[in-house]
mmCIF file of all heavy atoms in Angstrom:
data_model
loop_
_atom_site.group_PDB
_atom_site.id
_atom_site.type_symbol
_atom_site.label_atom_id
_atom_site.label_comp_id
_atom_site.label_asym_id
_atom_site.label_seq_id
_atom_site.Cartn_x
_atom_site.Cartn_y
_atom_site.Cartn_z
ATOM 1 N N ASP B 121 37.187 257.148 68.002
ATOM 2 C CA ASP B 121 38.372 256.577 67.369
ATOM 3 C C ASP B 121 38.300 255.044 67.389
ATOM 4 O O ASP B 121 38.549 254.370 66.384
ATOM 5 C CB ASP B 121 39.618 257.084 68.133
ATOM 6 C CG ASP B 121 40.913 256.572 67.529
ATOM 7 O OD1 ASP B 121 40.872 256.051 66.395
ATOM 8 O OD2 ASP B 121 41.962 256.690 68.194
ATOM 9 N N ILE B 122 37.906 254.510 68.542
ATOM 10 C CA ILE B 122 37.788 253.051 68.657
ATOM 11 C C ILE B 122 36.716 252.528 67.704
ATOM 12 O O ILE B 122 36.905 251.531 67.006
ATOM 13 C CB ILE B 122 37.478 252.640 70.111
ATOM 14 C CG1 ILE B 122 38.689 252.982 71.007
ATOM 15 C CG2 ILE B 122 37.137 251.159 70.208
ATOM 16 C CD1 ILE B 122 38.456 252.765 72.490
ATOM 17 N N ALA B 123 35.592 253.258 67.639
ATOM 18 C CA ALA B 123 34.504 252.837 66.752
ATOM 19 C C ALA B 123 34.982 252.792 65.303
ATOM 20 O O ALA B 123 34.752 251.812 64.585
ATOM 21 C CB ALA B 123 33.315 253.792 66.887
ATOM 22 N N ALA B 124 35.690 253.851 64.887
ATOM 23 C CA ALA B 124 36.173 253.896 63.495
ATOM 24 C C ALA B 124 37.163 252.762 63.241
ATOM 25 O O ALA B 124 37.147 252.116 62.186
ATOM 26 C CB ALA B 124 36.829 255.246 63.212
ATOM 27 N N THR B 125 38.021 252.501 64.228
ATOM 28 C CA THR B 125 39.034 251.451 64.067
ATOM 29 C C THR B 125 38.387 250.073 63.925
ATOM 30 O O THR B 125 38.736 249.306 63.020
ATOM 31 C CB THR B 125 40.004 251.463 65.262
ATOM 32 O OG1 THR B 125 40.600 252.758 65.330
ATOM 33 C CG2 THR B 125 41.090 250.422 65.114
ATOM 34 N N VAL B 126 37.434 249.756 64.805
ATOM 35 C CA VAL B 126 36.850 248.404 64.712
ATOM 36 C C VAL B 126 35.948 248.268 63.485
ATOM 37 O O VAL B 126 35.795 247.171 62.938
ATOM 38 C CB VAL B 126 36.109 247.954 65.999
ATOM 39 C CG1 VAL B 126 37.099 247.861 67.153
ATOM 40 C CG2 VAL B 126 34.936 248.847 66.334
ATOM 41 N N LYS B 127 35.385 249.391 63.028
ATOM 42 C CA LYS B 127 34.624 249.311 61.770
ATOM 43 C C LYS B 127 35.565 248.960 60.615
ATOM 44 O O LYS B 127 35.190 248.243 59.695
ATOM 45 C CB LYS B 127 33.897 250.626 61.498
ATOM 46 C CG LYS B 127 32.613 250.747 62.316
ATOM 47 C CD LYS B 127 31.883 252.036 62.006
ATOM 48 C CE LYS B 127 30.666 252.168 62.913
ATOM 49 N NZ LYS B 127 30.230 253.564 63.046
ATOM 50 N N ARG B 128 36.774 249.505 60.673
ATOM 51 C CA ARG B 128 37.783 249.136 59.665
ATOM 52 C C ARG B 128 38.159 247.654 59.813
ATOM 53 O O ARG B 128 38.173 246.910 58.832
ATOM 54 C CB ARG B 128 39.019 250.036 59.828
ATOM 55 C CG ARG B 128 40.199 249.674 58.952
ATOM 56 C CD ARG B 128 41.271 250.767 58.925
ATOM 57 N NE ARG B 128 41.887 251.034 60.211
ATOM 58 C CZ ARG B 128 42.882 250.315 60.738
ATOM 59 N NH1 ARG B 128 43.352 249.256 60.077
ATOM 60 N NH2 ARG B 128 43.401 250.624 61.904
ATOM 61 N N PHE B 129 38.394 247.226 61.053
ATOM 62 C CA PHE B 129 38.746 245.810 61.287
ATOM 63 C C PHE B 129 37.670 244.880 60.721
ATOM 64 O O PHE B 129 37.953 243.806 60.204
ATOM 65 C CB PHE B 129 38.887 245.523 62.794
ATOM 66 C CG PHE B 129 40.105 246.138 63.429
ATOM 67 C CD1 PHE B 129 40.330 245.962 64.799
ATOM 68 C CD2 PHE B 129 41.024 246.877 62.688
ATOM 69 C CE1 PHE B 129 41.446 246.506 65.413
ATOM 70 C CE2 PHE B 129 42.143 247.435 63.299
ATOM 71 C CZ PHE B 129 42.351 247.251 64.666
ATOM 72 N N GLN B 130 36.426 245.316 60.874
ATOM 73 C CA GLN B 130 35.285 244.520 60.445
ATOM 74 C C GLN B 130 35.349 244.221 58.945
ATOM 75 O O GLN B 130 34.768 243.248 58.475
ATOM 76 C CB GLN B 130 34.019 245.334 60.769
ATOM 77 C CG GLN B 130 32.724 244.626 60.563
ATOM 78 C CD GLN B 130 32.377 243.748 61.749
ATOM 79 O OE1 GLN B 130 33.006 243.843 62.797
ATOM 80 N NE2 GLN B 130 31.390 242.896 61.594
ATOM 81 N N LYS B 131 36.038 245.065 58.207
ATOM 82 C CA LYS B 131 36.054 244.898 56.741
ATOM 83 C C LYS B 131 37.113 243.903 56.271
ATOM 84 O O LYS B 131 37.141 243.534 55.102
ATOM 85 C CB LYS B 131 36.291 246.248 56.075
ATOM 86 C CG LYS B 131 35.166 247.220 56.379
ATOM 87 C CD LYS B 131 35.064 248.311 55.336
ATOM 88 C CE LYS B 131 33.877 249.215 55.607
ATOM 89 N NZ LYS B 131 34.288 250.536 56.115
ATOM 90 N N TYR B 132 37.987 243.481 57.151
ATOM 91 C CA TYR B 132 38.986 242.494 56.733
ATOM 92 C C TYR B 132 38.368 241.098 56.738
ATOM 93 O O TYR B 132 38.563 240.311 57.660
ATOM 94 C CB TYR B 132 40.222 242.548 57.642
ATOM 95 C CG TYR B 132 40.896 243.907 57.665
ATOM 96 C CD1 TYR B 132 41.167 244.554 58.866
ATOM 97 C CD2 TYR B 132 41.242 244.545 56.477
ATOM 98 C CE1 TYR B 132 41.763 245.810 58.883
ATOM 99 C CE2 TYR B 132 41.838 245.801 56.487
ATOM 100 C CZ TYR B 132 42.099 246.422 57.686
ATOM 101 O OH TYR B 132 42.688 247.656 57.703
ATOM 102 N N GLN B 133 37.556 240.829 55.703
ATOM 103 C CA GLN B 133 36.904 239.532 55.583
ATOM 104 C C GLN B 133 37.048 239.084 54.134
ATOM 105 O O GLN B 133 36.823 239.858 53.218
ATOM 106 C CB GLN B 133 35.426 239.625 55.952
ATOM 107 C CG GLN B 133 35.214 240.114 57.379
ATOM 108 C CD GLN B 133 33.806 239.830 57.901
ATOM 109 O OE1 GLN B 133 33.190 238.840 57.546
ATOM 110 N NE2 GLN B 133 33.317 240.719 58.756
ATOM 111 N N TYR B 134 37.419 237.821 53.957
ATOM 112 C CA TYR B 134 37.733 237.329 52.613
ATOM 113 C C TYR B 134 37.080 235.971 52.416
ATOM 114 O O TYR B 134 37.269 235.068 53.222
ATOM 115 C CB TYR B 134 39.254 237.204 52.447
ATOM 116 C CG TYR B 134 40.008 238.402 52.984
ATOM 117 C CD1 TYR B 134 40.523 238.391 54.288
ATOM 118 C CD2 TYR B 134 40.160 239.565 52.216
ATOM 119 C CE1 TYR B 134 41.189 239.493 54.805
ATOM 120 C CE2 TYR B 134 40.818 240.674 52.722
ATOM 121 C CZ TYR B 134 41.338 240.630 54.023
ATOM 122 O OH TYR B 134 41.982 241.724 54.525
ATOM 123 N N LEU B 135 36.320 235.856 51.340
ATOM 124 C CA LEU B 135 35.643 234.605 51.046
ATOM 125 C C LEU B 135 36.574 233.697 50.253
ATOM 126 O O LEU B 135 37.146 234.118 49.252
ATOM 127 C CB LEU B 135 34.383 234.901 50.234
ATOM 128 C CG LEU B 135 33.234 233.931 50.432
ATOM 129 C CD1 LEU B 135 32.835 233.857 51.905
ATOM 130 C CD2 LEU B 135 32.047 234.362 49.580
ATOM 131 N N ARG B 136 36.729 232.481 50.715
ATOM 132 C CA ARG B 136 37.640 231.541 50.052
ATOM 133 C C ARG B 136 37.211 230.120 50.367
ATOM 134 O O ARG B 136 36.931 229.803 51.505
ATOM 135 C CB ARG B 136 39.045 231.774 50.590
ATOM 136 C CG ARG B 136 40.121 231.538 49.580
ATOM 137 C CD ARG B 136 41.437 231.813 50.275
ATOM 138 N NE ARG B 136 42.491 231.217 49.523
ATOM 139 C CZ ARG B 136 43.107 231.826 48.524
ATOM 140 N NH1 ARG B 136 42.753 233.028 48.162
ATOM 141 N NH2 ARG B 136 44.064 231.220 47.876
ATOM 142 N N VAL B 137 37.206 229.267 49.356
ATOM 143 C CA VAL B 137 36.763 227.878 49.510
ATOM 144 C C VAL B 137 35.477 227.793 50.324
ATOM 145 O O VAL B 137 35.317 226.891 51.143
ATOM 146 C CB VAL B 137 37.809 226.969 50.202
ATOM 147 C CG1 VAL B 137 37.902 225.645 49.483
ATOM 148 C CG2 VAL B 137 39.169 227.593 50.331
ATOM 149 N N GLY B 138 34.573 228.726 50.104
ATOM 150 C CA GLY B 138 33.319 228.693 50.836
ATOM 151 C C GLY B 138 33.470 229.057 52.303
ATOM 152 O O GLY B 138 32.523 228.935 53.078
ATOM 153 N N LEU B 139 34.663 229.487 52.704
ATOM 154 C CA LEU B 139 34.864 229.894 54.097
ATOM 155 C C LEU B 139 35.055 231.401 54.136
ATOM 156 O O LEU B 139 35.582 231.994 53.203
ATOM 157 C CB LEU B 139 36.125 229.243 54.667
ATOM 158 C CG LEU B 139 36.154 227.726 54.742
ATOM 159 C CD1 LEU B 139 37.544 227.256 55.129
ATOM 160 C CD2 LEU B 139 35.134 227.242 55.761
ATOM 161 N N ASN B 140 34.624 231.993 55.241
ATOM 162 C CA ASN B 140 34.878 233.420 55.426
ATOM 163 C C ASN B 140 36.109 233.569 56.304
ATOM 164 O O ASN B 140 36.075 233.251 57.487
ATOM 165 C CB ASN B 140 33.658 234.083 56.067
ATOM 166 C CG ASN B 140 33.815 235.592 56.142
ATOM 167 O OD1 ASN B 140 34.522 236.179 55.324
ATOM 168 N ND2 ASN B 140 33.178 236.199 57.116
ATOM 169 N N LEU B 141 37.210 234.025 55.698
ATOM 170 C CA LEU B 141 38.441 234.204 56.474
ATOM 171 C C LEU B 141 38.441 235.602 57.073
ATOM 172 O O LEU B 141 38.259 236.583 56.364
ATOM 173 C CB LEU B 141 39.670 234.057 55.582
ATOM 174 C CG LEU B 141 39.770 232.827 54.695
ATOM 175 C CD1 LEU B 141 41.131 232.801 54.015
ATOM 176 C CD2 LEU B 141 39.564 231.566 55.498
ATOM 177 N N ARG B 142 38.650 235.686 58.371
ATOM 178 C CA ARG B 142 38.681 236.998 59.008
ATOM 179 C C ARG B 142 39.373 236.909 60.358
ATOM 180 O O ARG B 142 39.390 235.847 60.985
ATOM 181 C CB ARG B 142 37.253 237.507 59.231
ATOM 182 C CG ARG B 142 36.453 236.610 60.164
ATOM 183 C CD ARG B 142 35.106 237.179 60.517
ATOM 184 N NE ARG B 142 35.207 238.470 61.165
ATOM 185 C CZ ARG B 142 34.167 239.134 61.665
ATOM 186 N NH1 ARG B 142 32.951 238.623 61.581
ATOM 187 N NH2 ARG B 142 34.316 240.294 62.242
ATOM 188 N N PRO B 143 39.947 238.019 60.836
ATOM 189 C CA PRO B 143 40.410 238.043 62.217
ATOM 190 C C PRO B 143 39.183 238.217 63.112
ATOM 191 O O PRO B 143 38.214 238.857 62.727
ATOM 192 C CB PRO B 143 41.318 239.269 62.269
ATOM 193 C CG PRO B 143 40.850 240.152 61.170
ATOM 194 C CD PRO B 143 40.193 239.285 60.131
ATOM 195 N N GLU B 144 39.245 237.638 64.330
ATOM 196 C CA GLU B 144 38.039 237.576 65.149
ATOM 197 C C GLU B 144 38.056 238.472 66.368
ATOM 198 O O GLU B 144 37.002 238.740 66.956
ATOM 199 C CB GLU B 144 37.847 236.143 65.690
ATOM 200 C CG GLU B 144 37.737 235.043 64.668
ATOM 201 C CD GLU B 144 39.079 234.502 64.213
ATOM 202 O OE1 GLU B 144 40.129 235.013 64.666
ATOM 203 O OE2 GLU B 144 39.076 233.575 63.395
ATOM 204 N N LEU B 145 39.258 238.893 66.811
ATOM 205 C CA LEU B 145 39.351 239.380 68.188
ATOM 206 C C LEU B 145 39.973 240.764 68.314
ATOM 207 O O LEU B 145 40.783 241.170 67.489
ATOM 208 C CB LEU B 145 40.216 238.405 69.001
ATOM 209 C CG LEU B 145 39.745 236.949 69.074
ATOM 210 C CD1 LEU B 145 40.890 236.036 69.495
ATOM 211 C CD2 LEU B 145 38.582 236.824 70.048
ATOM 212 N N VAL B 146 39.570 241.457 69.382
ATOM 213 C CA VAL B 146 40.230 242.704 69.770
ATOM 214 C C VAL B 146 40.626 242.567 71.238
ATOM 215 O O VAL B 146 39.831 242.091 72.056
ATOM 216 C CB VAL B 146 39.295 243.911 69.594
ATOM 217 C CG1 VAL B 146 39.851 245.140 70.294
ATOM 218 C CG2 VAL B 146 39.086 244.208 68.112
ATOM 219 N N VAL B 147 41.857 242.944 71.546
ATOM 220 C CA VAL B 147 42.275 243.019 72.942
ATOM 221 C C VAL B 147 42.097 244.468 73.381
ATOM 222 O O VAL B 147 42.672 245.377 72.769
ATOM 223 C CB VAL B 147 43.752 242.607 73.117
ATOM 224 C CG1 VAL B 147 44.195 242.818 74.563
ATOM 225 C CG2 VAL B 147 43.955 241.165 72.694
ATOM 226 N N VAL B 148 41.281 244.693 74.412
ATOM 227 C CA VAL B 148 41.128 246.052 74.933
ATOM 228 C C VAL B 148 41.983 246.148 76.185
ATOM 229 O O VAL B 148 41.779 245.404 77.153
ATOM 230 C CB VAL B 148 39.658 246.369 75.248
ATOM 231 C CG1 VAL B 148 39.537 247.799 75.762
ATOM 232 C CG2 VAL B 148 38.797 246.180 74.002
ATOM 233 N N LYS B 149 42.951 247.071 76.138
ATOM 234 C CA LYS B 149 43.924 247.163 77.224
ATOM 235 C C LYS B 149 43.812 248.508 77.926
ATOM 236 O O LYS B 149 43.630 249.538 77.266
ATOM 237 C CB LYS B 149 45.332 247.005 76.642
ATOM 238 C CG LYS B 149 46.426 247.064 77.689
ATOM 239 C CD LYS B 149 47.809 246.880 77.085
ATOM 240 C CE LYS B 149 48.846 246.886 78.204
ATOM 241 N NZ LYS B 149 50.203 246.777 77.704
ATOM 242 N N GLY B 150 43.933 248.496 79.250
ATOM 243 C CA GLY B 150 43.955 249.772 79.956
ATOM 244 C C GLY B 150 43.456 249.654 81.373
ATOM 245 O O GLY B 150 43.685 248.649 82.046
ATOM 246 N N GLY B 151 42.750 250.691 81.825
ATOM 247 C CA GLY B 151 42.315 250.746 83.212
ATOM 248 C C GLY B 151 40.939 251.369 83.344
ATOM 249 O O GLY B 151 39.929 250.733 83.037
ATOM 250 N N PRO B 152 40.887 252.639 83.743
ATOM 251 C CA PRO B 152 39.619 253.266 84.085
ATOM 252 C C PRO B 152 38.589 253.245 82.948
ATOM 253 O O PRO B 152 37.392 253.126 83.203
ATOM 254 C CB PRO B 152 40.005 254.718 84.410
ATOM 255 C CG PRO B 152 41.483 254.808 84.349
ATOM 256 C CD PRO B 152 42.040 253.509 83.979
ATOM 257 N N ARG B 153 39.025 253.342 81.709
ATOM 258 C CA ARG B 153 38.066 253.415 80.610
ATOM 259 C C ARG B 153 37.824 252.053 79.946
ATOM 260 O O ARG B 153 37.239 251.957 78.856
ATOM 261 C CB ARG B 153 38.568 254.415 79.554
ATOM 262 C CG ARG B 153 37.954 255.805 79.750
ATOM 263 C CD ARG B 153 38.288 256.756 78.617
ATOM 264 N NE ARG B 153 38.404 256.151 77.299
ATOM 265 C CZ ARG B 153 37.377 255.802 76.514
ATOM 266 N NH1 ARG B 153 36.132 256.000 76.916
ATOM 267 N NH2 ARG B 153 37.587 255.254 75.341
ATOM 268 N N LEU B 154 38.252 250.997 80.621
ATOM 269 C CA LEU B 154 38.194 249.673 80.004
ATOM 270 C C LEU B 154 36.773 249.307 79.548
ATOM 271 O O LEU B 154 36.566 248.868 78.416
ATOM 272 C CB LEU B 154 38.715 248.632 80.998
ATOM 273 C CG LEU B 154 39.126 247.291 80.391
ATOM 274 C CD1 LEU B 154 40.382 247.440 79.535
ATOM 275 C CD2 LEU B 154 39.383 246.255 81.488
ATOM 276 N N ALA B 155 35.788 249.489 80.434
ATOM 277 C CA ALA B 155 34.413 249.085 80.110
ATOM 278 C C ALA B 155 33.876 249.896 78.933
ATOM 279 O O ALA B 155 33.285 249.341 77.995
ATOM 280 C CB ALA B 155 33.510 249.263 81.333
ATOM 281 N N ALA B 156 34.100 251.192 78.950
ATOM 282 C CA ALA B 156 33.590 252.048 77.873
ATOM 283 C C ALA B 156 34.234 251.675 76.546
ATOM 284 O O ALA B 156 33.566 251.573 75.509
ATOM 285 C CB ALA B 156 33.868 253.522 78.192
ATOM 286 N N ALA B 157 35.560 251.443 76.575
ATOM 287 C CA ALA B 157 36.264 251.096 75.349
ATOM 288 C C ALA B 157 35.793 249.741 74.818
ATOM 289 O O ALA B 157 35.577 249.568 73.614
ATOM 290 C CB ALA B 157 37.775 251.075 75.596
ATOM 291 N N ALA B 158 35.607 248.786 75.732
ATOM 292 C CA ALA B 158 35.146 247.460 75.320
ATOM 293 C C ALA B 158 33.744 247.545 74.722
ATOM 294 O O ALA B 158 33.429 246.886 73.732
ATOM 295 C CB ALA B 158 35.158 246.506 76.511
#
Side-chain angles (χ1 to χ4, degrees):
Chain B
D121 181 14
I122 294 174
T125 302
V126 296
K127 281 182 184 158
R128 174 167 63 82
F129 289 179
Q130 187 82 12
K131 297 203 176 107
Y132 301 128
Q133 300 197 33
Y134 315 95
L135 210 57
R136 213 180 162 87
V137 223
L139 298 171
N140 186 27
L141 309 186
R142 62 173 301 185
E144 302 86 358
L145 301 161
V146 167
V147 175
V148 181
K149 181 179 183 183
R153 264 188 34 79
L154 198 69

